[in-house]
Every structure is written in structure tokens, then in C-alpha cells.
Amino acid sequence: MACRGRRPEHSGPPELFYDKNEARKYVRNSRMIDVQTKMAGRALELLHLPEDQPCYLLDIGCGSGLSGDYLSDEGHYWVGIDISPAMLDAALDRDTGGDLLLGDMGQGIPFKPGSFDGCISISAVQWLCNANKKSDIPAKRLYCFFSSLYSVLVRGARAVLQLYPENSEQLELITTQATRAGFTGGVVVDYPNSAKAKKFYLCLFSGPSAFLPKGLTEGNEEEEARESTFTAERVPFRTARRGVVRKSREWVLEKKERRRRQGKEVRPDTQYTGRKRKPRF
């Protein structure tokens, strides 16, 4: 997540910044859980995956597994990679549904070619733009990351990377290396006129250029300003999603609305939408 004042990337290597204290926030801070879950949902929406078809996804910078929990809740299988042992320990304590791997994305993604149907990443890629030691060259680490990511994706698959670029030069550095690695695509900006809600999503295509989705604006959805709260207990993932139960009417309506925003043809909502059918004899 973005922080006020000094950026986390300027505090040192990510494996040191995301220690046990920081990992605890991603388990108990309800505001942080809610923001991470919403960004994961938006990233999954931008992936434009086939409807009602489980996919095998990669979560880069998976952290404590919040975004992975969203993927599981939507019926997908996933593998997460993160450089912080403390964050992965938190994910294990939460019994996340995906497989976890300790690794540095700047050294490449260690999977066989064509392993994944898509990839998401929440607030991770900008870390590659900082050199924490003399041997770190941001452009080379970015290219190593993007070239290996291009390899592990099924041809035609997408990667959606939510990031917090420090400035336009940093964003250009990231997109240039992604293009060098073979990706096409662009940057989707949600709520561009809002200092608080503005979010950047790098949408990459590992095949021919595809239609780039439009960013959300204030007219699409009202943003609520909420204070950060802490609890003594862990906040269940279901609570973070406001109690939306899979296959319920609310869940179905949210899914249909996502499909409409993607430009897909969706049947009109009726009084029977999401209604459970009686079992046949």
C-alpha cells in the first residue's frame, strides 16, 4: 500500500521493510485488508478471464495472501511468490488456499514456460525501481522480471500489475522494459482526478494487442472515506468482503456488473436473478 510521506521503497529492501510487525497489519488492519481486497478484485476484473472457468494464476508479491484469498473465492487456483519470509509466514498462518514460494521477482519467475493462465500483482512492481545494493540495476531487474513473466504465461494471457509509480519517469522505465520483453498493453488509471482513490494498473498482453479497458471514474462508483481501524483478532476474509457469500444474489449481481464493465453481453437483472433452484428428483 502507499504510505503518507516517505515511500516504503526508500526505507530499504522489501524483505526488511515487510517484517513481522508490518505483516501483522495485513492480518489485523481492517482498512488495509479492505483496500487490498478491492484492488485484487479490480485486477482480476481487468484480466478478462473466461466466465465460469477456473484458471491457474500467478500472484506476484502475494504477501499475506489477501489477494490470493480473493482469487480462491472466485474459484481460481493460484501460486504466490514473495520476497518477505514474514509475509509468507502470515499467509501460512491464515491457511491461504494457494501454493507459496519465497523468491525475488527481480531475479526472474522460476516456472516452466506456459504455466499460468494469467497473473496479478498488488503494490509490488515499483520496488524493482530502487537499487538496494551496488549490483542492483533497476532496468536490468525489470527486464529480467518481465521477460520471465512473459515466458511463464500461456500465449494470449494477460498480466495486471497494480503499482504506485513515484513519477512519470519511473512509470516510463517500467513500461519500456515490459515492451522490450515482448508485452503489449498499457496503463489503466482508476479515479484519475482523486488524490486518494487514484490507482494505476499496468495491463499487459502476452499475445496480439487487445482492447485496453477504460479506467473507473467517480461516476462509476462512489468512494467512501473510512478511518483505519485495528482489532485484537484477525479479520476474516468474508468480513472484509462485507459478508458477500459465493453464489448468493448479491454475489451474482456483482459478478454481472463486472461483466458489463468488461463489455460482455449479460442478461438483464430480474427478480429471479441469483434465486436458488429446487433440486430435481
Side-chain angles (χ1 to χ4, degrees):
M1 293 181 61
C3 69
R4 296 176 182 177
R6 191 178 186 186
R7 294 174 64 90
E9 311 94 81
H10 297 168
S11 302
E15 62 269 29
L16 298 182
F17 176 81
Y18 290 104
D19 56 12
K20 291 183 178 180
N21 291 331
E22 194 69 20
R24 192 177 298 116
K25 298 178 184 179
Y26 286 80
V27 175
R28 296 180 177 177
N29 187 327
S30 60
R31 169 61 178 166
M32 190 173 288
I33 292 173
D34 185 59
V35 171
Q36 290 283 311
T37 301
K38 286 181 178 179
M39 290 191 294
R42 177 60 171 155
L44 184 60
E45 177 183 318
L46 293 171
L47 272 186
H48 211 287
L49 297 173
E51 190 171 359
D52 297 325
Q53 178 180 325
C55 294
Y56 192 50
L57 305 176
L58 177 64
D59 184 2
I60 297 174
C62 63
S64 61
L66 294 175
S67 50
D69 280 347
Y70 188 94
L71 300 179
S72 296
D73 196 60
E74 292 297 316
H76 300 294
Y77 304 98
W78 59 278
V79 174
I81 181 172
D82 201 281
I83 197 172
S84 167
M87 293 294 275
L88 292 179
D89 285 343
L92 290 173
D93 290 341
R94 297 178 61 252
D95 293 326
T96 54
D99 295 320
L100 304 173
L101 175 68
L102 178 66
D104 178 5
M105 60 181 173
Q107 295 181 358
I109 309 299
F111 293 99
K112 294 181 179 180
S115 296
F116 298 98
D117 301 312
C119 167
I120 70 167
S121 177
I122 307 299
S123 311
V125 177
Q126 69 270 7
W127 283 91
L128 293 178
C129 296
N130 292 271
N132 295 304
K133 49 188 176 181
K134 291 183 178 180
S135 59
D136 285 350
I137 302 176
K140 288 187 176 181
R141 284 172 56 79
L142 282 165
Y143 179 74
C144 181
F145 163 65
F146 283 120
S147 58
S148 60
L149 176 60
Y150 187 91
S151 173
V152 301
L153 291 177
V154 174
R155 290 291 74 82
R158 296 187 180 192
V160 177
L161 316 176
Q162 185 276 328
L163 69 159
Y164 291 105
E166 186 172 3
N167 47 49
S168 58
E169 290 78 13
Q170 189 178 93
L171 185 59
E172 183 178 0
L173 172 63
I174 294 172
T175 55
T176 297
Q177 299 307 315
T179 302
R180 281 190 60 207
F183 283 109
T184 58
V187 178
V188 174
V189 183
D190 285 352
Y191 310 109
N193 299 321
S194 172
K196 185 176 181 180
K198 187 176 183 179
K199 295 292 184 296
F200 291 83
Y201 295 87
L202 181 60
C203 297
L204 303 175
F205 312 135
S206 63
S209 298
F211 173 75
L212 191 66
K214 293 183 178 180
L216 300 178
T217 62
E218 294 296 336
N220 297 112
E221 181 179 337
E222 291 185 3
E223 289 287 316
E224 294 183 359
R226 302 196 324 186
E227 294 296 328
S228 177
T229 59
F230 283 80
T231 62
E233 301 293 334
R234 292 172 178 162
V235 180
F237 177 67
R238 295 282 183 182
T239 303
R241 292 200 65 195
R242 304 179 305 283
V244 178
V245 179
R246 183 175 173 82
K247 300 298 184 180
S248 66
R249 176 178 172 82
E250 186 178 358
W251 183 89
V252 172
L253 290 174
E254 284 187 2
K255 186 171 183 179
K256 291 177 72 174
E257 184 59 32
R258 287 199 303 271
R259 298 299 176 184
R260 291 190 182 101
R261 290 202 297 265
Q262 291 173 349
K264 291 187 176 182
E265 184 176 351
V266 181
R267 292 183 178 181
D269 298 334
T270 69
Q271 60 180 327
Y272 302 106
T273 300
R275 184 175 180 179
K276 292 185 177 180
R277 299 171 182 246
K278 293 182 179 181
R280 291 186 177 182
F281 289 103

